[in-house]
Amino acid sequence: AQSVAQPEDQVKVAEGNPLTVKCTYSVSGNPYLFWYVQYPNRGLQFLLKYITGDNLVKGSYGFEAEFNKSQTSFHLKKPSALVSDSALYFCAVRDNTGGFKTIFGAGTRLFVKA
Amino acid sequence: DGGITQSPKYLFRKEGQNVTLSCEQNLNHDAMYWYRQDPGQGLRLIYYSQIVNDFQKGDIAEGYSVSREKKESFPLTVTSAQKNPTAFYLCASSIDQPASGYTFGSGTRLTVV
């Protein structure tokens, strides 16, 4: 069965510092991996995805994610955090066996302090 | 602009009452999904539909029902059989390909009163 784990409930960083939000996955076959962000009382917004190719994927708002096949990880990163990045972040893996369902992690709340 | 519209934004349900949450998309997406979000539990799949007039149960379908009579619309009914319906409900849609991400609506917050 496919699954995704976000080991940290929350991450706190100071504005201007780099941030990392961790994600590990378990899939059979090639993974389709996604990051989404959710602001309070809103739906999720797509940030970036890894399908194939370069291990470093660039997305919206200056975010990027590094795919590591040997460690089965897909960590979200940003070189310099902004207070406005404070939100709930979800890692997700999409079923690549024909079912087309997406499995979401439990979410990591990011706090960026001014 | 294309997108997904969920209504209402807030909904209050009395004990024993059925309520219906609306989800409409104008993205021409084939697949639509309903998720439930509870604090600390991430998103759990209720129902999904890959094509008109067809839908499948997700992980927590008990106490919920859906219909897919039109490609644009995927309403969710929370029935009286759902004993703990208070949650944030999210509708999403996607192209029916595994490499496609989801587009989400802005959600409906349902509260039992």
Side-chain angles (χ1 to χ4, degrees), chain A residues 32 34 36 38 41-46 49 51 88 90 94-96 98-107, chain B residues 9-10 33 35 37 40-43 45 48 50 88 90 94-102 104-106 109:
Chain A
Y32 294 158
F34 301 81
Y36 293 84
Q38 185 181 32
N41 294 313
R42 302 297 301 275
L44 279 66
Q45 297 176 31
F46 170 81
K49 67 180 178 182
I51 304 301
L88 187 58
F90 290 95
R94 186 138 190 203
D95 186 343
N96 60 8
F100 304 129
K101 293 187 294 182
T102 293
I103 299 168
F104 290 85
Chain B
K9 190 172 180 63
Y10 299 95
Y33 312 82
Y35 284 89
Q37 185 177 19
Q41 295 195 44
L43 277 66
L45 182 63
Y48 66 103
Q50 292 177 256
F88 191 53
L90 288 163
S94 74
I95 299 171
D96 202 17
Q97 294 177 10
S100 173
Y102 286 7
F104 281 84
S106 57
R109 186 166 298 280

Side-chain angles (χ1 to χ4, degrees), chain B residues 16 31 33 35 37 40 42 49 59 68-69 72 83 94-95 107 112:
Chain B
Y33 312 82
Y35 284 89
Q37 185 177 19
S49 169
D59 301 317
R68 187 86 186 275
E69 297 177 359
E72 301 80 16
K83 298 306 179 186
S94 74
I95 299 171
V112 175

Side-chain angles (χ1 to χ4, degrees), chain B residues 3-35:
Chain B
I4 296 183
T5 301
Q6 288 188 242
S7 63
K9 190 172 180 63
Y10 299 95
L11 186 58
F12 298 91
R13 194 193 92 165
K14 296 180 180 179
E15 294 286 347
Q17 188 179 43
N18 292 355
V19 292
T20 297
L21 284 59
S22 172
C23 178
E24 302 277 335
Q25 55 101 357
N26 60 3
L27 299 165
N28 200 33
H29 285 170
D30 290 309
M32 297 187 74
Y33 312 82
W34 274 106
Y35 284 89

